[in-house]
Amino acid sequence: MEETPEIKQTWQQKLLFYTTAFFVLLGTFSLFSFLFLVPFVIDPAFTTIFMEFDETPALCMTVRVDRRLGVSNCSWTSCREGCTKDIYDCTQILVHYKKVPPDFNLTAPPDIRTPREERSIPDDFDYEKNTSEEEQTGLMGDDSEWYYREARLLPNVKGCGYPPMLNCSIFLKHYKEIGTNYTCYYSRVDPSMVISHLDMWQVYMNLVYAMAIPIPSFILSVIYLAIAYFKIYNDDEETAPLEKNAEAMDVEGENGPEATPVQPASGGITPASEAFREDLASFGHHFKVAMVDEMSRDSFTEVISGSIGGNIGKTMTTSISTTGGPIADI
């Protein structure tokens, strides 16, 4: 049996194959990268923008640190390494903060670092009002010493991250000591939340990079694959049968009309196969036998009918001649 000659691909077919494979991989990686970036980059960036943090730093002081154990007791934590794991051990840092003017020296705030006994107390100081104010928590306003009392301190809007960008051991060591003063950024939407670091330019750039690369790449891949499926490959499938028929006609012309028919490789029956010829001859033989049998039956019936009719006519003629006249009516 002769081997089928190997069909060599043209450079256009190779280019089409590699281009399609490239866009398939590009669309796949773009989709998975976008799904990966949604919880880690895109959602925190949008939340930071929507919370409307004041970019002018405020003055914060740690006033309370609570350590809680158990999932039911840890509704929030000041720092968490890993944004998806459950919290069983949490440290909650509460701070007082107040707004300061832009030209205020945050490195050495005198009202915070000076002990109470060394401060100058005015003559009209109301001790009862000051004591009741210190016992209050929440939003106090601009007229009070602190704009907000006992706000939650977080490293970012989600309060979580991954090393090396966020190390909770270093964060807690730096901020959990009571009386520590530092800059922070409060949210205009939720004043009870303050974060230790804020860089809006970096937030916007992370959002642009996370959306401007995967989304257009995925859309471009889908457009190309749709065009390739409905236009390029359909045209190739329509022209392929014509080319195969032309090649078959060329091969038949070269071999001549008396060439031995080629058996199909799949073992199927075709008009040119030997099995088809045998089945056709067997069918013709059975058809001839059936026709001869049917004709024999018809001939036998006609002979019997003719014999019976002839005998009846002969008998009637004999009767008429014997009586010498027609048969009387009964």
Side-chain angles (χ1 to χ4, degrees):
M1 184 176 179
E2 296 182 358
E3 296 182 356
T4 305
E6 183 180 358
I7 301 176
K8 294 183 179 180
Q9 292 182 342
T10 61
W11 67 270
Q12 292 93 340
Q13 293 174 338
K14 292 182 179 179
L15 178 62
L16 179 62
F17 171 77
Y18 289 115
T19 305
T20 304
F22 170 75
F23 278 104
V24 168
L25 294 177
L26 178 63
T28 303
F29 285 115
S30 300
L31 178 60
F32 281 101
S33 62
F34 178 76
L35 296 177
F36 176 80
L37 292 173
V38 165
F40 297 103
V41 177
I42 298 177
D43 181 53
F46 274 117
T47 306
T48 303
I49 295 172
F50 294 152
M51 292 300 290
E52 299 180 4
F53 286 95
D54 191 350
E55 296 186 47
T56 302
L59 181 63
C60 285
M61 182 179 70
T62 302
V63 296
R64 179 180 164 189
V65 179
D66 295 335
R67 184 181 179 185
R68 301 176 183 272
L69 301 176
V71 179
S72 59
N73 297 325
C74 293
S75 59
W76 67 278
T77 181
S78 290
C79 187
R80 177 176 56 171
E81 292 183 0
C83 298
T84 57
K85 67 179 183 180
D86 296 330
I87 309 172
Y88 299 95
D89 186 357
C90 58
T91 301
Q92 301 174 351
I93 301 176
L94 302 175
V95 302
H96 295 347
Y97 72 88
K98 64 180 178 180
K99 301 178 182 178
V100 293
D103 56 348
F104 185 78
N105 186 8
L106 294 173
T107 58
D111 293 339
I112 302 300
R113 295 185 181 276
T114 305
R116 179 179 295 274
E117 59 270 13
E118 296 181 5
R119 300 175 189 173
S120 58
I121 302 176
D123 297 335
D124 58 347
F125 183 76
D126 191 346
Y127 289 96
E128 294 181 358
K129 179 181 179 180
N130 183 67
T131 303
S132 62
E133 183 177 296
E134 289 183 355
E135 293 176 354
Q136 295 177 359
T137 59
L139 184 63
M140 307 300 297
D142 295 329
D143 298 333
S144 178
E145 180 183 5
W146 299 102
Y147 182 76
Y148 198 98
R149 304 177 70 88
E150 294 192 4
R152 297 171 296 149
L153 177 65
L154 305 173
N156 50 53
V157 71
K158 291 295 183 179
C160 60
Y162 297 88
M165 301 299 297
L166 178 63
N167 191 320
C168 287
S169 299
I170 298 176
F171 177 84
L172 296 176
K173 182 179 180 180
H174 184 73
Y175 294 105
K176 74 177 182 178
E177 184 178 354
I178 296 178
T180 303
N181 302 313
Y182 44 86
T183 59
C184 60
Y185 303 88
Y186 70 95
S187 170
R188 298 188 185 97
V189 178
D190 184 8
S192 65
M193 176 190 297
V194 295
I195 59 177
S196 59
H197 298 84
L198 179 65
D199 188 354
M200 292 303 298
W201 172 256
Q202 188 64 37
V203 170
Y204 285 117
M205 293 305 297
N206 291 340
L207 187 61
V208 170
Y209 291 147
M211 298 184 65
I213 297 177
I215 295 179
S217 300
F218 179 75
I219 295 175
L220 182 63
S221 301
V222 171
I223 292 174
Y224 170 80
L225 293 175
I227 295 174
Y229 178 78
F230 290 105
K231 181 65 178 175
I232 301 176
Y233 286 100
N234 281 346
D235 293 344
D236 293 342
E237 291 178 359
E238 290 177 359
T239 57
L242 299 178
E243 294 178 356
K244 290 182 179 180
N245 291 337
E247 293 177 358
M249 293 175 64
D250 293 340
V251 171
E252 184 178 355
E254 293 176 359
N255 295 336
E258 298 180 356
T260 304
V262 180
Q263 296 292 338
S266 60
I269 297 177
T270 62
S273 62
E274 189 67 25
F276 179 80
R277 294 179 181 180
E278 293 178 358
D279 292 343
L280 183 60
S282 177
F283 173 76
H285 174 71
H286 288 292
F287 181 74
K288 291 179 181 180
V289 171
M291 290 294 295
V292 171
D293 193 15
E294 186 68 24
M295 292 175 63
S296 300
R297 291 178 182 177
D298 293 341
S299 301
F300 179 76
T301 303
E302 292 177 359
V303 171
I304 296 298
S305 300
S307 299
I308 294 174
N311 293 333
I312 293 174
K314 185 176 180 180
T315 305
M316 292 179 63
T317 304
T318 305
S319 301
I320 293 172
S321 59
T322 304
T323 57
I327 301 175
D329 293 336
I330 299 175

